[in-house]
Amino acid sequence: MKKLLRFLKDYKKESILAPLFKMLEALFELFVPLVMKKIIDVGIANGDRPYIVRMCLLMVALGIIGLVCSLTAQFFAAKAAVGCSTKLRHALFAHIQGLTFSEIDDLGTSTMITRMTSDINQVQSGINMVLRLFMRSPFIVFGAMIMAFTIDVKAALIFVVTIPVLSVIVFGIMMITMPLFKKVQKGLDRVLGKTRENLTGVRVIRAFAKEQQEIDEFGQSNALLTKLQMKVGRISALTNPLTYIVVNLSIAALIWVGALRVDAGIITQGAVIALVNYMSQILVELVKLANLIVTITKALACAGRVEKVFEIAPGMVYGDAAEYEKKRAALAGKAAAPAYAVEFKNVGLTYRGAGAESLSGLNLKVKPGETVGIIGGTGSGKTSVINLIPRYYDATEGEVLVDGINVKDYPMETLRGKIGMVMQKAVLFKGTIRQNLQWGRQDATDEEMFEALAIAQAKEFVDTKDGKLSAPITQGGKNLSGGQKQRLTIARALVRKPEILVLDDSASALDYATDAKLRKALRQMRDKLTVFIVSQRAASIMHADQIVVLDDGHVAGIGRHEELLENCSVYQEIYYSQFKKEEEKDADKVARNSKSGQGKEVRA
């Protein structure tokens, strides 16, 4: 929590004024029982009506002043709490954006959403309540006890016994419930994760008629959360009855002692009323304090969860811009420019927490303007290879070079600016086609967008939509087909005008004819791109300058289509599973001719 308090530094004035005005309100409130004592002992005892009216007006004035102080305190407390939580939410979002894919994989999406929303809201409530009540309630409790001593020392000793007992109850319950609230938030993570999975995969769930199974699993997670919340709720609920019992017993004792001392002529009837009022004030404030403790307990538990995210340091350190420029200038000063656009030197990759390497021993040199195809079975490491180029993950062995410079020496913006990345899953955002394409480059003109759409084979269907570039797209592109989404994501990458284009199985939803047109359009571009194509289709990569064949994270072969078809058994297996061998074609042809001959004989 201490680390999170730095977000309050811009609200020092509000953080001081809020409790200060609350204490002023409390101070005026402490004077009320004394005024009440005067009304009874002087005004009513002597039948002095003008005196009673003056005292009543004084009480009204104290109430109005207290109300103004309370509203002022509430304004400053709310301003500080909301401002602090806003800064905290921005900082947390920026921190998460700075984390690598490895850290995000470890954290999980659902828990990050919970910490960004629910947890920070609890922290906001905690700050607000602390600024308003954390000093006010103890001030009234101890202030009432001191004021009681000014009235009668012996009767005030009841306060001395009552306050420690109440403190033990309140703080004891707080110590018990704090770890339980942490468990509640973890349970909320699980429920949110299950909800998110169901909403994201609703079509798959319905396709396999798994609705009831998902309802049952959600019910189990929800029941566990309910059980945790009820447990902590029952413990927290003990606060009010226990404090009421103690305070009311104290009031009974106070009336009994006060009555005896009034009968003895030691104190007045007004003094007893004042003492009871002070005890009632203590009761009200301790109930507030109990609720405050519950809120603070939740806030501290949530603050700890948020702080743990901040404690996760990004696993990647990006290069310094000045150092990068020196290295680039040194390369440019040589006789020849860097010979390779991308180079892998004995590269290996092991994902965090994985038991084995996902990629090993990759050596590959790609010249500018070349097209590289990457093919292999499911889980062979195709996506792992291309994720190393924009440095989504760091190679655990060897090094990856772009334009002759290690990707670790690039500033992030410079490296990602060179690369147009089209992910395996086509992701579009709610807005218009234009707004989605502008993710590639914010200042792209309509002409540049249409040019990119034409290359991506998307212009034809965009032209048919009302508004064309202004046509709306729903969240995730749900109002488009799979092929349309893939073509728009390719166009978005092309709008960026990258030097390197990476297509991670991003044409899987396209028919063979459209796929062929796309590859032809890429080859005919004015600015020759270095293209990496990851595909399950041999037809999509067979015309590439180089083809990398992967098998279970190992390189099974690198070469052109004809070479691999002769020398690489893994490539042969993939290719012939999609295309028939020449012998099979000849056999099919003979069989067709034979059937045709038999048909002629029958007709004859």
Side-chain angles (χ1 to χ4, degrees), residues 292-356:
L292 172 64
I293 294 299
V294 171
T295 303
I296 290 175
T297 303
K298 289 181 182 178
L300 289 172
C302 294
R305 285 160 50 81
V306 173
E307 197 170 327
K308 282 183 181 178
V309 180
F310 280 113
E311 288 172 356
I312 299 172
M316 291 182 184
V317 178
Y318 293 96
D320 181 67
E323 289 297 319
Y324 162 73
E325 289 299 332
K326 287 180 183 178
K327 290 182 180 182
R328 194 170 68 86
L331 282 173
K334 292 182 179 179
Y340 303 108
V342 180
E343 186 176 359
F344 294 85
K345 291 185 175 180
N346 198 31
V347 168
L349 173 64
T350 304
Y351 289 106
R352 189 178 297 176

Coordinates of all heavy atoms in Angstrom, one line a residue, residues 292-356:
L292 N -15.6 1.1 8.5 CA -14.3 1.7 7.9 C -13.3 0.6 7.9 O -12.5 0.4 6.9 CB -13.9 2.9 8.7 CG -12.5 3.5 8.3 CD1 -12.5 4.0 6.8 CD2 -12.1 4.6 9.2
I293 N -13.2 -0.2 9.0 CA -12.1 -1.2 9.0 C -12.4 -2.3 8.0 O -11.5 -2.8 7.3 CB -12.1 -1.8 10.4 CG1 -11.7 -0.8 11.5 CG2 -11.2 -3.1 10.5 CD1 -10.3 -0.3 11.3
V294 N -13.7 -2.6 7.8 CA -14.0 -3.6 6.7 C -13.6 -3.1 5.4 O -13.0 -3.8 4.6 CB -15.5 -3.9 6.7 CG1 -15.9 -4.8 5.5 CG2 -15.9 -4.6 8.0
T295 N -13.9 -1.8 5.1 CA -13.5 -1.2 3.8 C -12.0 -1.1 3.6 O -11.5 -1.4 2.6 CB -14.1 0.2 3.7 OG1 -15.5 0.2 3.9 CG2 -13.8 0.8 2.3
I296 N -11.3 -0.7 4.7 CA -9.9 -0.7 4.7 C -9.3 -2.0 4.5 O -8.3 -2.2 3.7 CB -9.3 0.0 6.0 CG1 -9.7 1.5 6.0 CG2 -7.8 -0.2 6.1 CD1 -9.3 2.2 7.3
T297 N -9.8 -3.1 5.1 CA -9.3 -4.4 5.0 C -9.4 -4.9 3.5 O -8.5 -5.4 2.9 CB -10.2 -5.4 5.8 OG1 -10.1 -5.0 7.2 CG2 -9.6 -6.8 5.7
K298 N -10.6 -4.6 2.9 CA -10.7 -4.9 1.5 C -9.7 -4.1 0.6 O -9.1 -4.7 -0.3 CB -12.2 -4.6 1.0 CG -13.2 -5.5 1.5 CD -14.6 -5.1 1.0 CE -15.7 -5.9 1.5 NZ -17.0 -5.5 1.0
A299 N -9.6 -2.8 0.9 CA -8.7 -2.0 0.2 C -7.3 -2.4 0.3 O -6.6 -2.4 -0.7 CB -8.9 -0.5 0.6
L300 N -6.9 -2.8 1.5 CA -5.5 -3.3 1.7 C -5.2 -4.6 0.9 O -4.2 -4.7 0.3 CB -5.2 -3.4 3.2 CG -5.0 -2.2 4.0 CD1 -4.9 -2.5 5.5 CD2 -3.8 -1.3 3.5
A301 N -6.2 -5.5 1.0 CA -6.1 -6.7 0.2 C -6.0 -6.5 -1.3 O -5.1 -7.1 -2.0 CB -7.2 -7.7 0.5
C302 N -6.8 -5.6 -1.8 CA -6.8 -5.3 -3.2 C -5.5 -4.5 -3.6 O -5.0 -4.7 -4.7 CB -8.0 -4.5 -3.6 SG -9.6 -5.4 -3.4
A303 N -5.1 -3.6 -2.7 CA -3.9 -2.8 -3.0 C -2.7 -3.7 -3.1 O -1.8 -3.5 -3.9 CB -3.7 -1.8 -1.9
G304 N -2.7 -4.8 -2.2 CA -1.6 -5.7 -2.3 C -1.5 -6.5 -3.6 O -0.5 -6.7 -4.2
R305 N -2.7 -6.8 -4.1 CA -2.8 -7.5 -5.4 C -2.3 -6.6 -6.6 O -1.6 -7.0 -7.5 CB -4.2 -7.9 -5.7 CG -4.6 -9.1 -4.9 CD -6.2 -9.3 -4.8 NE -6.8 -9.2 -6.0 CZ -6.9 -10.2 -6.9 NH1 -6.4 -11.4 -6.6 NH2 -7.6 -10.0 -8.1
V306 N -2.7 -5.3 -6.5 CA -2.3 -4.3 -7.5 C -0.8 -4.1 -7.5 O -0.1 -4.1 -8.5 CB -3.1 -3.0 -7.4 CG1 -2.5 -1.9 -8.3 CG2 -4.6 -3.2 -7.6
E307 N -0.3 -4.1 -6.2 CA 1.1 -3.8 -6.0 C 2.0 -5.0 -6.6 O 3.1 -4.8 -7.1 CB 1.4 -3.7 -4.5 CG 2.7 -3.0 -4.2 CD 2.9 -2.6 -2.8 OE1 1.9 -2.3 -2.1 OE2 4.0 -2.7 -2.2
K308 N 1.4 -6.2 -6.5 CA 2.2 -7.3 -7.0 C 2.4 -7.2 -8.5 O 3.4 -7.7 -9.0 CB 1.4 -8.6 -6.7 CG 1.6 -9.1 -5.2 CD 0.9 -10.4 -5.0 CE 1.1 -10.8 -3.5 NZ 0.4 -12.1 -3.2
V309 N 1.4 -6.6 -9.2 CA 1.6 -6.4 -10.7 C 2.7 -5.4 -10.9 O 3.5 -5.6 -11.8 CB 0.3 -6.0 -11.3 CG1 0.4 -5.8 -12.8 CG2 -0.9 -7.0 -11.1
F310 N 2.7 -4.4 -10.1 CA 3.8 -3.4 -10.3 C 5.2 -3.9 -10.0 O 6.2 -3.5 -10.5 CB 3.5 -2.2 -9.4 CG 2.5 -1.2 -9.9 CD1 1.3 -1.0 -9.3 CD2 2.8 -0.4 -11.0 CE1 0.3 -0.1 -9.8 CE2 1.9 0.5 -11.6 CZ 0.6 0.6 -10.9
E311 N 5.2 -4.9 -9.1 CA 6.5 -5.5 -8.7 C 7.0 -6.4 -9.8 O 8.2 -6.8 -9.8 CB 6.3 -6.4 -7.4 CG 6.1 -5.5 -6.2 CD 5.8 -6.3 -4.9 OE1 5.6 -7.5 -5.1 OE2 5.7 -5.7 -3.9
I312 N 6.2 -6.8 -10.8 CA 6.7 -7.6 -11.9 C 7.5 -6.7 -12.9 O 6.9 -5.9 -13.5 CB 5.5 -8.3 -12.6 CG1 4.8 -9.3 -11.6 CG2 6.0 -9.1 -13.8 CD1 3.5 -9.9 -12.2
A313 N 8.7 -6.9 -12.9 CA 9.6 -6.1 -13.8 C 9.5 -6.6 -15.2 O 9.6 -7.9 -15.4 CB 11.0 -6.0 -13.3
P314 N 9.4 -5.8 -16.2 CA 9.4 -6.3 -17.6 C 10.7 -7.0 -17.9 O 11.8 -6.6 -17.5 CB 9.4 -5.0 -18.4 CG 8.7 -4.0 -17.5 CD 9.2 -4.3 -16.2
G315 N 10.5 -8.2 -18.5 CA 11.7 -9.1 -18.7 C 12.6 -8.6 -19.9 O 13.6 -9.2 -20.1
M316 N 12.2 -7.6 -20.6 CA 13.0 -7.1 -21.7 C 13.4 -5.7 -21.5 O 12.7 -4.8 -21.0 CB 12.2 -7.1 -23.0 CG 11.9 -8.5 -23.6 SD 10.9 -8.4 -25.1 CE 10.6 -10.1 -25.4
V317 N 14.7 -5.4 -21.8 CA 15.2 -4.0 -21.8 C 15.5 -3.7 -23.2 O 16.3 -4.3 -23.9 CB 16.5 -4.0 -20.9 CG1 17.0 -2.5 -20.9 CG2 16.2 -4.4 -19.5
Y318 N 14.9 -2.6 -23.7 CA 15.1 -2.2 -25.1 C 16.3 -1.3 -25.2 O 16.8 -0.7 -24.3 CB 13.8 -1.5 -25.6 CG 12.6 -2.4 -25.7 CD1 11.7 -2.5 -24.6 CD2 12.4 -3.2 -26.8 CE1 10.6 -3.3 -24.7 CE2 11.3 -4.1 -26.8 CZ 10.4 -4.1 -25.8 OH 9.4 -5.0 -25.9
G319 N 16.8 -1.3 -26.4 CA 18.1 -0.6 -26.7 C 17.9 0.9 -26.6 O 16.8 1.4 -26.8
D320 N 18.9 1.6 -26.4 CA 18.9 3.1 -26.4 C 19.0 3.7 -27.8 O 19.7 3.2 -28.7 CB 20.1 3.6 -25.6 CG 20.2 5.1 -25.5 OD1 19.3 5.7 -24.8 OD2 21.1 5.7 -26.1
A321 N 18.2 4.7 -28.0 CA 18.0 5.3 -29.4 C 19.4 5.8 -29.9 O 19.7 5.6 -31.0 CB 17.0 6.4 -29.4
A322 N 20.1 6.4 -29.0 CA 21.4 7.0 -29.4 C 22.4 5.9 -29.8 O 23.1 6.0 -30.8 CB 22.0 7.9 -28.3
E323 N 22.4 4.8 -29.0 CA 23.3 3.7 -29.3 C 22.9 3.0 -30.6 O 23.8 2.6 -31.4 CB 23.3 2.7 -28.1 CG 24.0 3.2 -26.8 CD 25.5 3.4 -27.0 OE1 26.1 2.6 -27.7 OE2 26.0 4.4 -26.5
Y324 N 21.6 2.9 -30.8 CA 21.2 2.3 -32.0 C 21.6 3.1 -33.2 O 22.1 2.5 -34.2 CB 19.6 2.1 -32.0 CG 19.0 1.9 -33.3 CD1 19.2 0.7 -34.0 CD2 18.4 2.9 -34.0 CE1 18.6 0.5 -35.3 CE2 17.8 2.7 -35.3 CZ 17.9 1.5 -35.9 OH 17.4 1.3 -37.1
E325 N 21.5 4.4 -33.1 CA 21.9 5.3 -34.3 C 23.4 5.2 -34.5 O 23.8 5.2 -35.7 CB 21.5 6.7 -34.0 CG 20.0 7.0 -34.0 CD 19.4 6.8 -35.4 OE1 20.1 6.9 -36.4 OE2 18.2 6.4 -35.4
K326 N 24.2 5.0 -33.5 CA 25.6 4.8 -33.7 C 25.9 3.6 -34.5 O 26.7 3.5 -35.4 CB 26.3 4.8 -32.3 CG 26.4 6.1 -31.6 CD 27.2 6.0 -30.3 CE 27.2 7.3 -29.6 NZ 27.9 7.2 -28.2
K327 N 25.2 2.5 -34.1 CA 25.4 1.2 -34.7 C 25.0 1.2 -36.2 O 25.6 0.7 -37.1 CB 24.7 0.1 -34.0 CG 25.4 -0.2 -32.6 CD 24.7 -1.4 -31.9 CE 25.4 -1.6 -30.5 NZ 24.8 -2.7 -29.8
R328 N 23.8 1.9 -36.4 CA 23.3 2.0 -37.7 C 24.2 2.8 -38.6 O 24.5 2.5 -39.8 CB 21.9 2.6 -37.7 CG 21.1 2.5 -39.0 CD 19.7 2.9 -38.8 NE 19.6 4.4 -38.6 CZ 19.5 5.3 -39.5 NH1 19.5 4.9 -40.8 NH2 19.4 6.5 -39.3
A329 N 24.8 3.9 -38.1 CA 25.7 4.8 -38.8 C 27.0 4.0 -39.1 O 27.5 4.1 -40.2 CB 26.0 6.0 -38.0
A330 N 27.4 3.2 -38.2 CA 28.7 2.4 -38.4 C 28.4 1.4 -39.5 O 29.3 1.2 -40.4 CB 29.0 1.7 -37.1
L331 N 27.3 0.7 -39.6 CA 27.0 -0.2 -40.6 C 26.8 0.5 -42.0 O 27.3 0.0 -43.0 CB 25.7 -1.0 -40.3 CG 25.7 -2.1 -39.3 CD1 24.3 -2.6 -39.0 CD2 26.6 -3.2 -39.8
A332 N 26.2 1.7 -41.9 CA 26.0 2.4 -43.2 C 27.4 2.9 -43.7 O 27.5 3.1 -44.9 CB 25.1 3.6 -42.9
G333 N 28.3 3.2 -42.8 CA 29.7 3.6 -43.3 C 30.5 2.6 -43.9 O 31.5 2.9 -44.5
K334 N 30.1 1.3 -43.8 CA 30.9 0.3 -44.4 C 30.7 0.3 -45.9 O 29.8 0.9 -46.4 CB 30.5 -1.1 -43.8 CG 30.9 -1.2 -42.3 CD 30.5 -2.6 -41.8 CE 31.0 -2.7 -40.3 NZ 30.6 -4.1 -39.8
A335 N 31.5 -0.5 -46.6 CA 31.5 -0.5 -48.1 C 30.2 -1.0 -48.6 O 29.7 -0.5 -49.6 CB 32.6 -1.4 -48.6
A336 N 29.6 -2.0 -47.9 CA 28.3 -2.5 -48.4 C 27.3 -2.4 -47.3 O 27.6 -2.5 -46.1 CB 28.5 -3.9 -48.9
A337 N 26.1 -2.2 -47.7 CA 25.0 -2.2 -46.7 C 24.8 -3.6 -46.1 O 25.3 -4.6 -46.7 CB 23.7 -1.8 -47.4
P338 N 24.1 -3.8 -45.0 CA 23.9 -5.1 -44.4 C 23.3 -6.1 -45.5 O 22.4 -5.8 -46.2 CB 22.9 -4.9 -43.3 CG 23.1 -3.5 -42.9 CD 23.5 -2.8 -44.2
A339 N 23.9 -7.2 -45.6 CA 23.6 -8.2 -46.7 C 22.2 -8.8 -46.4 O 21.6 -9.3 -47.3 CB 24.6 -9.3 -46.8
Y340 N 21.8 -8.9 -45.1 CA 20.6 -9.6 -44.8 C 19.6 -8.7 -44.0 O 20.0 -8.0 -43.2 CB 21.0 -10.8 -43.9 CG 22.0 -11.8 -44.6 CD1 23.3 -11.8 -44.1 CD2 21.6 -12.5 -45.7 CE1 24.2 -12.6 -44.7 CE2 22.5 -13.4 -46.3 CZ 23.8 -13.4 -45.8 OH 24.7 -14.2 -46.5
A341 N 18.4 -8.9 -44.5 CA 17.3 -8.1 -43.8 C 17.0 -8.8 -42.4 O 16.8 -8.1 -41.4 CB 16.0 -8.2 -44.6
V342 N 17.0 -10.1 -42.3 CA 16.8 -10.8 -41.1 C 17.8 -12.0 -41.1 O 18.0 -12.6 -42.1 CB 15.4 -11.4 -41.0 CG1 15.2 -12.1 -39.6 CG2 14.3 -10.2 -41.0
E343 N 18.4 -12.2 -39.9 CA 19.3 -13.3 -39.8 C 19.1 -14.0 -38.4 O 19.1 -13.3 -37.4 CB 20.8 -12.8 -39.9 CG 21.8 -13.9 -39.9 CD 23.2 -13.4 -40.1 OE1 23.4 -12.1 -40.3 OE2 24.1 -14.2 -40.1
F344 N 19.0 -15.3 -38.4 CA 18.9 -16.1 -37.2 C 20.2 -16.8 -37.0 O 20.7 -17.6 -37.9 CB 17.8 -17.1 -37.3 CG 16.4 -16.5 -37.3 CD1 15.8 -16.1 -38.5 CD2 15.6 -16.4 -36.2 CE1 14.6 -15.6 -38.6 CE2 14.4 -15.9 -36.2 CZ 13.8 -15.4 -37.4
K345 N 20.9 -16.6 -35.9 CA 22.2 -17.3 -35.6 C 22.0 -18.3 -34.5 O 22.0 -17.9 -33.3 CB 23.2 -16.3 -35.3 CG 23.6 -15.3 -36.4 CD 24.8 -14.4 -36.0 CE 25.3 -13.6 -37.2 NZ 26.4 -12.7 -36.8
N346 N 21.9 -19.6 -34.9 CA 21.9 -20.7 -33.9 C 20.8 -20.4 -32.8 O 21.1 -20.4 -31.6 CB 23.2 -20.9 -33.2 CG 23.3 -22.3 -32.6 OD1 22.6 -23.2 -33.0 ND2 24.0 -22.4 -31.5
V347 N 19.6 -20.0 -33.2 CA 18.6 -19.5 -32.3 C 17.8 -20.7 -31.6 O 17.5 -21.7 -32.3 CB 17.6 -18.6 -33.1 CG1 16.3 -18.3 -32.2 CG2 18.3 -17.3 -33.5
G348 N 17.6 -20.5 -30.3 CA 16.8 -21.4 -29.6 C 15.8 -20.7 -28.7 O 16.1 -19.5 -28.3
L349 N 14.7 -21.3 -28.4 CA 13.6 -20.6 -27.6 C 13.0 -21.6 -26.6 O 12.5 -22.7 -27.1 CB 12.6 -20.0 -28.5 CG 11.4 -19.4 -27.7 CD1 11.8 -18.2 -26.8 CD2 10.3 -18.9 -28.7
T350 N 13.0 -21.3 -25.4 CA 12.3 -22.1 -24.4 C 11.4 -21.2 -23.6 O 11.8 -20.2 -23.0 CB 13.3 -22.7 -23.3 OG1 14.3 -23.5 -24.1 CG2 12.5 -23.6 -22.4
Y351 N 10.1 -21.4 -23.7 CA 9.1 -20.6 -23.0 C 9.2 -20.7 -21.5 O 9.6 -21.8 -21.0 CB 7.7 -21.0 -23.5 CG 7.4 -20.5 -24.9 CD1 7.3 -21.5 -25.9 CD2 7.2 -19.2 -25.2 CE1 7.0 -21.1 -27.2 CE2 6.9 -18.8 -26.5 CZ 6.8 -19.8 -27.5 OH 6.6 -19.4 -28.8
R352 N 8.9 -19.7 -20.8 CA 8.9 -19.7 -19.3 C 8.1 -20.8 -18.8 O 6.9 -20.9 -19.1 CB 8.5 -18.3 -18.8 CG 8.8 -18.1 -17.3 CD 8.4 -16.8 -16.9 NE 9.2 -15.7 -17.5 CZ 9.0 -14.4 -17.3 NH1 8.0 -14.0 -16.6 NH2 9.8 -13.5 -17.9
G353 N 8.7 -21.6 -17.9 CA 7.9 -22.7 -17.3 C 7.8 -23.9 -18.1 O 7.2 -24.9 -17.7
A354 N 8.3 -23.9 -19.4 CA 8.2 -25.0 -20.2 C 9.2 -26.1 -19.9 O 10.3 -25.7 -19.4 CB 8.3 -24.6 -21.7
G355 N 8.9 -27.3 -20.1 CA 9.9 -28.4 -19.8 C 10.9 -28.7 -20.8 O 11.9 -29.3 -20.5
A356 N 10.6 -28.2 -22.0 CA 11.6 -28.5 -23.1 C 11.6 -27.3 -24.1 O 10.8 -26.4 -24.0 CB 11.2 -29.7 -23.9

